[in-house]
Amino acid sequence: MIELRTPAEIEAMRPAGRFVAETLATLRDETKVGTNLLDIDRRAHDMIRRAGATSCYIDYHPSFGASPFGKVICTSINDAVLHGLPHDYNLRDGDLVTLDFAVAVDGWVADSAISFVVGTPRDEDLALIQTTRLALDAAIAASVVGNRIGDVSYAVSQIAHADGYSINTDFGGHGVGREMHGDPHVPNDGKPGRGYPLRAGLVVALEPWFLQTTDKLVTDPDGWTLRSVDGSRGAHSEHTIAITDDGPIILTDRSFLGVD
C-alpha cells in the first residue's frame, strides 16, 4: 500500500534524515586504507546507540536474505554493489567502497548510500561514481507532483545509458516511512508517463546503482552480498526524498555538512 505523509509527518522525518546524513559523512571521513569493515560497522553501531536511533538492518530478514542481516550498515567493496555484509577485511589502496545505511529515529526511517574510493582512485571508478550521482540528481529533479514513477526511472536510465552502463531492475528505489521498504517500487529504468502518479506527501528512497560492464548479479556465500558476475566494479548513490507541492525535499541531504 502506498502511503502519503502529511507536512507534519515529513517534518518529523527530518531528524532521521539528518542523522543518516551525518553518520555517512562521518564514516566516509574516517574510512581509510587499512580500515576494517567490522570497525565501520562497530562505529555505526555506536553512533546509533548514542543517538537513541534504531537500526533497520540488524534484524532485517527479507525473502532474498539467507538469515537476519546481523549488522547495522552495508559495506560493499569493489565488485560488490548491494547488501554487502561487513566482514573481516582491511581496505586496500584503490578499493571502491559503498556504504548503505538506514535507521529509524522516533519511529521514522531514512535511508541513504554513498560510494567513494580509498587511497589512489582509478579514473573508471570515479566516472562510475559520478554517473550514479548524476542519475540520482536527475531522479530527484523528476520527482515532482504531476510526473509518474516512470518519469523518475527514465531519468535514471538516460544518464546511465548515455555513459554506457546497463541497468538491473531487480533492486531499486522504494517507499520509506515507518518501515524501511514500502511501496512504490522505483526501478532504475522505465518509460516516461507510466506508473504511479507522484503526489505531495510521497516519501521514497531513490537509489541508482550501476556496474561497469554488466547488469547481472551473483550472491556471495554469506547469503547477502551481491556482486557483478564478471568482477567489474559497482557504485551506488541514494537519498530519501519527500515530494511536496513546492518540489522535492532531500531528507538525507549532506550539503549542510560541506560534503556531497
Side-chain angles (χ1 to χ4, degrees), residues 168-253:
N168 177 299
T169 56
D170 292 340
F171 298 94
H174 51 87
V176 177
R178 293 291 189 181
E179 304 291 336
M180 176 171 58
H181 287 144
D183 294 329
H185 174 59
V186 188
N188 286 325
D189 196 3
K191 296 181 178 180
R194 303 284 185 88
Y196 179 78
L198 304 184
R199 296 184 172 94
L202 182 65
V203 180
V204 291
L206 304 177
E207 47 183 315
W209 62 272
F210 311 130
L211 299 162
Q212 286 171 332
T213 58
T214 184
D215 58 12
K216 302 296 190 297
L217 297 169
V218 293
T219 305
D220 269 8
D222 65 21
W224 276 101
T225 304
L226 295 176
R227 298 183 183 275
S228 65
V229 297
D230 63 0
S232 64
R233 294 184 169 196
H236 179 190
S237 294
E238 177 182 16
H239 273 312
T240 296
I241 72 161
I243 296 171
T244 77
D245 287 322
D246 296 322
I249 297 171
I250 305 173
L251 296 172
T252 51
D253 182 33

Side-chain angles (χ1 to χ4, degrees), residues 76-98:
S76 302
I77 310 302
N78 296 331
D79 61 328
V81 67
L82 297 174
H83 309 160
L85 188 64
H87 59 284
D88 185 13
Y89 174 80
N90 294 320
L91 291 170
R92 301 170 182 172
D93 184 51
D95 277 347
L96 198 167
V97 179
T98 295

